[in-house]
Every structure is written in structure tokens, then in C-alpha cells.
Amino acid sequence: MFAPFERLSQLTACYVRVTGIVQGVGFRPFVYRLATTCGLSGWVANGEHGVEIVVEGSHTAIEAFLHELTTHPPPAARIDQIVVQPIQPSGLETFTIRESQRRERPTTRIAPDLPVCADCLRELFDPANRRYWYAYINCTNCGPRYSIVLGLPYDRPRTTMKDWPLCSDCAREYHDPADRRFHAQPVACPVCGPQYLLVDAQRLQQARGAAAIQKAAEWLRGGRIVAVKGIGGYHLACDARNVAAVQALRERKFRKEKPFALMVANLAVAAELVELNDAARDVLTSPARPIVLLPARVFLPGVAPENRELGIMLPYAPLHYLLFAAGAPAVLVMTSGNRSEEPIAFTEDDAFIRLSGIADGFLVGERPIARRVDDSVVRMTVLGPVIVRRSRGLAPSVVATLPTSRPILAVGADLKNTITVVIEGQAFVSQHIGDLDHWPVVEAFTATIRDLCAMYEVDLEQAVVAHDAHPEYVSTNHALTLPGQHLAVQHHRAHIASVLAERGCWTERIVGLAFDGTGYGDDGSIWGGEVFVGSLSEGLQRVAHLRQAVLPGGDAAARWPVQAAAGFLVAVEDLPDLTASPFCFPEQYDKAREVVASGLRCFPTTSMGRLFDTVAALCGFTRSISFEGQAAMWLEHLAQKSPPVQPYPFPLTEGELDFRPLLAAVVEDRCRGRDVTEIARAFHEAVAAAVVTVAVEYCAAFRAQRVVVSGGVFQNALLLERVAELLRLHRLELWTNRAVPPNDGGISLGQAAIAACAGIAK
């Protein structure tokens, strides 16, 4: 959005401030070339709040300059506002790029890491170019940003390239306004820049430069597992079609069944593996270059067990293109460089220690990484792309502008943690950090808080520190050790608030449904199937919920679907023997029933996520899960194999969604031999119909026109599709998350939004 500026016929000098993603994207060189083309004098510099410009010249030239500035910015820039103020001319004779000045706390946006551009790719494979086969090639339009920046404003001395002096050729390009590398901060070449090394499992160097990449490709062809240093950390790579290599990676990484991500050489290879449409191609080739979850066309043993989707990404770093050019397999497993559930390794010492015993070799890049940044993950739905994990290519851009001038730190939840820092109303959401039940992730969590607060010079003494209401969360306890004014935010209200914050919706009344696995409720019970009415300005009132069940063993029930089932099915009458065929529940179920009968270690819950687990168990998922959400994903993929069917009964009675008729019908159908794909589909249809029943009733009762859904359950593409279709029949608009994940990765934004609207953060 651009601030209006007056068309002054006598304007001969003006000051211009541009805010948004305007540092690290070639904006100053662009302004320099534009100003000189227009015959203007003046200067451009990075400032704390964006890019500052002064231009002097004829009013016609200034108007032409402002028009081009607003309509044709650099491709990687994202302009939010342009403010123009007339000033008195000072007689400047030339146009220059000035050194950045520090006067106030920075609020400018850091650019996410960018994929290598077409111009650099052409040079990369041009034998006549001096950067031929140079893995760190970049220019003002591409290359690392967030993963290398050490401070603001964004200049080379504040990046991890600060210790690599430019050679004479690179210096000439860097200072030449006509060159594509004019003021490109990470610029380097084989003479003056970092290189890649190939190191074996004993840490002995095997090759350097292009030879290292070629030998790494040879190792991948031969079935070895190679730890590859990328933009934001290490990946573990192997040939995705080599069953033995994939199985070895699973065993060494302790990753039982969770799908591996794949990197493919190009779109043609992707089309062989998954179903591609134009929308999916657009996301795959977008500047974020995320992993995109798409329906599989082929079966790759061991890559995505019992999963109808494959996670595909395209090359985004020069190194990736070089590996494929050197003969690496066209389909590579490219999974995070860690042991299961740990944060990815991003320094050499960390990689050698934690990936020892997993990787047969290490392709080590000499350029340091400032902070670990995982690959982003996106799922395609009828409402467009839904972010599952927000990280490389997306973080740490601003996702919302909140109605507050006070700084806010929101520390998120304990699963899929992110943090949000709010400066002058701008909400910066961090990269995905992970699950805080692992100490290395806790260290990454506290480091990210220090990192972003230092970068944006947040004085926590003056800030609001928002956290989850759960008194035993790691994130809560850490937040309470920090200075500032503390605010506890209920988990599911934060889910709904995250959607409203993205949309800038502060006063409009909505009906919101937050469905997930677990969250601490107002009454101390475990919520997860909640309905709210209200707005951010007036508050969100809980008006309905899933009927309360019991959760034997607490968190342990999330790991065993049959254990969750014991807590839900106790409310269903005339059950058959579920340890017998066709259910064949294991002894874990009987143990859980005994716990329920005793009443010890049983917790009341309204968790929709655990209801999904219960139905998954009844349909045949009777083992423990090996990753979060596995049973619900399995159930969704089962349902997608069935054509539409009639929904099971799932009535809304006095503010409660009663699951008892639904579960009784599932048990009956399973006993009479109905196909489990139809059972799974009827369950999904029932949940979708229940969402619409709730939405219609409460929109009418409270005069709302929009329905907001969030929480991990709404990552379910089939459920979202059916809800959207049914709501359209009632002419109700559906909103869900677009900029942050609907899972707990979006909680920190919701916490910040509620803090901003609570009155204490004005």
C-alpha cells in the first residue's frame, strides 16, 4: 500500500522512504540506475525503517522516477509503503549510494533467502564465465539473505561474508552501477570466495571445488548417504530410487515412517512422480521454493510409507543444480540433516558430531550460516496453498501489521514452535524451530529469541511477552524468566487470532472453529474441538465444543490411537470385543480401559485430534504412531480412496458436538464388513457437516458472516475441501491461515495479535 503523494508542478526535490522487503534485494542499485536514467541527483541509503532516497531535478523527471519506483520495483522486492515529502533542493550534483546510517531501532524487513536466478544459472554453466561451476554464484536478484545476515542494516560487514574480501574483479562489479552485482552483499568468485569440500566419514578431505561436487554426485549414484550443506543447514541426501540407501537412511536417522522430502532435477521429473497442475507448478517454482505435498503417481519404497502424497521440491541453490549436472540421481531424498526430532545441523562441528554414523561423507561449504533455516512445506488445497512449515524462503518476513506501537515478543507453543516479534506494529514471524520436548530444540528456541530481539533491538523491559496459558509448557516457563509485561493467551483463541491477524480483521464478529490435538483450556482441561464467537477487539467467547471425553495417560494417548480410543469409546454403549476381529486392538487398549475405569491419570478432553485417532484405530491403525499426526494423515489418505458417501450422524446438542452416535455407527459398519475407505470417508463427511452446522447456527445467532477455521486438523485437505463446498451453499465465507501454518506454527502470531488488541500493548 502506498501513501499518497501530492503531484506538485513545482516539485524539484523530495525525500522518499520505501518500506517493506527492500534491503538485500538489489533495491539501492535499482534506485541508482533509475535516478541516473531520469537525470536526477541525490542519494540512496539503507535505513532502520527501509530505504531512504533524496532526489533533485525537474518536476517531470521526479514524477517519472516516482512512477517507475512504484510500478516496476526489483523482482525480489516487496513494497508496503512509499512516503514522499517535498524538501528544499541542496544543490547535489550527482547521484550516489551512501553508507547506511544507524540512528534508531531498525524496523526494516529482512529478505528471505532467494533461489538462484536465471542469469546466474546461465553463467554457472558457461565455460567462458569466470564463475563457471562456482557453487556460491549470486547477484542482487538471488542468493542467501536471512541465513547470512548478522545485523541491520543489511551490508556486507553485517553478513557471514564479512571475512571474505573482494578480489579486484568482484570489487569492480560490486561498485559498477551498470553491473548486476552492484552492491550485491554476498558476491564472490572462485578467486576470493568460499568453496565446497568433500570430506569422508573420517573427516579426511577427498576433493575441493568442482571436483568435490562431482565426486559427491558419484557417491550418491553409488548408493552412499551424503550430508550436504545448503542455504540454511545440512541435508541428508541419497538416491530415492535406491531402496537399500533409503532404508539405511531410515535406520541410521531413527526415522521409522515419517515421509522423506524429495528434490528432483526439474519439473519434468516432478511430473513423473506426482500429479501436477498449474497451481502446484507456481508454488514449486515460486521464490520460496518450498517442499510441496502432492498426490503420488509412483511408489518409491521406503520414501513415504502408507502415504498417498510425496513431498517434492526443486533445486534452489547453485550447488543443487551442479549436483544434478554432475550426474547425481534425478530424484534425491533431501531430508533435514539431523537425528529424528532434533534441529538441523548448520555448523561443521555440529554436523560432524550429530551426523556421524548417518552420513558416509560430507559436502561442506565454507560460507558460514548465521542461523539454521529448514525448508518450508506447503500443501495444496481448494483454498490455495496452506503452509505446513514456514521457514526458508518465507521467514522472517512480516505477515501482519498489528494495531500497536509497543514491542511484543510472542513465544508460541511447545509443538512446531515459532516466535513472533512485533516492532512498530509489524509482526515478524521466525522460521520453524521445532518441538520443545527436545533439549537441542529448546536451545534453538532461546537462541532465536535472542537473535531476533537483538537484530531488531527489542527492549524486553518495555515489551509485552505473550505466551501460552499452559503453565507447564517449556515456552511458558522461559517467557516468565524474561523481563517485560507477561500475558497468557489461551491456545485455541490464538489459533483463531492468527487468521484474523493475517487478514487485518480487528472488529468484525466471526464464528471461529479451532480443531487440533491438544491445548490448555480455560477450565484446566485439554481442549481441541472449540467454537468461538466474537472479534479480536471484543474478545473470543467459547460457545460450543466437542463433547467431553477422557484421555487416559494424558500425552501418552497421543502416541497410541487405541489408548485415545479407550477414552472416547467408554461413552459408547453395547461395544463388541474390540480385541477380536475385525478390530484386533492390542493389549494397550485393555490397559487404557483399566486406567479409565480407575479414574487415575485420566484427563477430560474435547480434542478433535484424538477423535480422529479413535476413528483411525477403529479403521485399523492400532499400532503406536512414529510421528505427530500420523494416524489422522493415514485416515485422510484412506478416505481419499473412496467416492463421496453419506456422513455419519454428528449432532450439535446444547453447544456440544456429540461423537457418540458417530462412533457407534463406525463400530457397527466395521462389524458388518463395510470397506474401511468408505468408513473413513463417511467420518470426514460427518466432521465437515458438523462444522457447517455449527457455523450456520452461530452465524445466525450472533449475526456473523465469516467462518474462521484453524488448528492442525484443518491441514486436512479433504476436510477443508468439503467444508468450503458446504459453506458456499449457505453463502458463508471461509477463512483459514494463508501466511502462517494452521498448526501450532501459527500460534505465536495469534498470541501477538491478542496482546496487541488486549489494551496492554497500545
Side-chain angles (χ1 to χ4, degrees), residues 275-284 290-295 309-310 377-388 636 640 714-718 720-721:
E275 297 176 12
L276 279 183
N277 56 27
D278 289 343
R281 287 187 181 89
D282 288 346
V283 177
L284 279 168
I291 299 166
V292 183
L293 305 178
L294 295 166
E309 293 178 328
L310 291 174
V377 181
V378 170
R379 194 175 194 199
M380 305 302 296
T381 74
V382 292
L383 297 182
V386 170
I387 298 170
V388 177
E636 180 194 355
Q640 288 172 331
F714 287 107
Q715 291 176 157
N716 185 312
L718 175 59
L720 204 58
E721 176 183 352

Side-chain angles (χ1 to χ4, degrees), residues 391-736:
S391 212
R392 179 194 48 76
L394 297 173
S397 57
V398 169
V399 298
T401 301
L402 308 184
T404 182
S405 58
R406 188 173 176 184
I408 299 172
L409 167 65
V411 300
D414 274 16
L415 292 180
K416 298 178 172 62
N417 180 267
T418 64
I419 69 163
T420 294
V421 173
V422 181
I423 304 295
E424 299 297 330
Q426 296 186 77
F428 297 84
V429 179
S430 76
Q431 70 275 27
H432 166 83
I433 297 169
D435 297 347
L436 301 184
D437 51 358
H438 301 277
W439 177 246
V441 184
V442 176
E443 292 181 313
F445 162 72
T446 56
T448 303
I449 291 174
R450 291 193 303 270
D451 181 28
L452 284 182
C453 287
M455 190 171 296
Y456 287 104
E457 298 180 5
V458 177
D459 181 1
L460 289 178
E461 295 279 358
Q462 305 300 317
V464 178
V465 179
H467 57 83
D468 196 275
H470 198 305
E472 296 180 6
Y473 267 4
V474 172
S475 53
T476 298
N477 289 326
H478 182 74
L480 295 177
T481 69
L482 301 174
Q485 185 173 357
H486 300 97
L487 176 69
V489 177
Q490 199 280 321
H491 188 93
H492 299 94
R493 290 185 178 90
H495 272 309
I496 301 303
S498 69
V499 180
L500 298 177
E502 289 182 8
R503 305 273 183 161
C505 181
W506 314 115
T507 60
E508 181 180 342
R509 182 173 292 177
I510 57 90
V511 172
L513 296 94
F515 289 177
D516 64 2
T518 181
Y520 190 79
D522 294 344
D523 56 4
S525 68
I526 301 171
W527 286 7
E530 314 309 315
V531 182
F532 300 96
V533 169
S535 66
L536 283 176
S537 61
E538 68 179 287
L540 296 169
Q541 175 190 357
R542 187 195 194 209
V543 294
H545 53 81
L546 184 68
R547 176 186 171 89
Q548 197 171 86
V550 294
L551 205 58
D555 290 343
R559 297 190 291 272
W560 278 91
V562 295
Q563 189 165 327
F568 277 81
L569 292 170
V570 71
V572 179
E573 297 179 354
D574 300 324
L575 285 176
D577 181 3
L578 296 182
T579 63
S581 180
F583 303 99
C584 302
F585 279 12
E587 63 177 357
Q588 188 76 17
Y589 174 69
D590 284 335
K591 292 179 180 178
R593 287 183 64 195
E594 293 173 3
V595 173
V596 171
S598 73
L600 299 175
R601 292 288 300 163
C602 286
F603 303 88
T605 185
T606 56
S607 170
M608 188 66 73
R610 298 295 81 80
L611 179 63
F612 270 75
D613 288 351
T614 297
V615 177
L618 291 170
C619 288
F621 197 104
T622 57
R623 64 189 188 276
S624 65
I625 66 168
S626 60
F627 60 92
E628 196 256 338
Q630 182 183 12
M633 290 171 57
W634 178 88
L635 188 67
E636 180 194 355
H637 294 145
L638 207 62
Q640 288 172 331
K641 297 177 182 179
S642 168
V645 295
Q646 287 297 309
Y648 287 125
F650 197 1
L652 175 67
T653 306
E654 296 181 351
E656 287 189 346
L657 285 169
D658 190 349
F659 58 77
R660 293 175 300 177
L662 185 158
L663 292 180
V666 171
V667 170
E668 181 182 350
D669 275 355
R670 192 79 206 279
C671 285
R672 67 182 179 86
R674 188 181 188 186
D675 191 290
V676 290
T677 63
E678 292 185 9
I679 294 174
R681 182 61 184 255
F683 169 69
H684 279 77
E685 296 288 349
V687 177
V691 169
V692 174
T693 297
V694 166
V696 170
E697 178 167 327
Y698 288 103
C699 279
F702 291 90
R703 298 181 180 179
Q705 292 296 317
R706 287 195 176 88
V707 181
V708 173
V709 299
S710 189
V713 167
F714 287 107
Q715 291 176 157
N716 185 312
L718 175 59
L719 176 63
L720 204 58
E721 176 183 352
R722 293 298 295 132
V723 169
E725 289 173 353
L726 294 171
L727 282 177
R728 275 197 294 270
L729 299 177
H730 295 276
R731 299 183 179 178
L732 291 174
E733 188 174 1
L734 177 64
W735 280 359
T736 189

Side-chain angles (χ1 to χ4, degrees), residues 254-302:
F254 304 117
R255 187 161 175 162
K256 293 181 180 179
E257 296 167 298
K258 190 174 183 179
F260 284 136
L262 301 175
M263 179 175 283
V264 296
N266 49 51
L267 279 172
V269 176
E272 297 172 4
L273 301 182
V274 296
E275 297 176 12
L276 279 183
N277 56 27
D278 289 343
R281 287 187 181 89
D282 288 346
V283 177
L284 279 168
T285 58
S286 69
R289 287 291 202 278
I291 299 166
V292 183
L293 305 178
L294 295 166
R297 298 184 62 189
V298 300
F299 174 63
L300 296 174

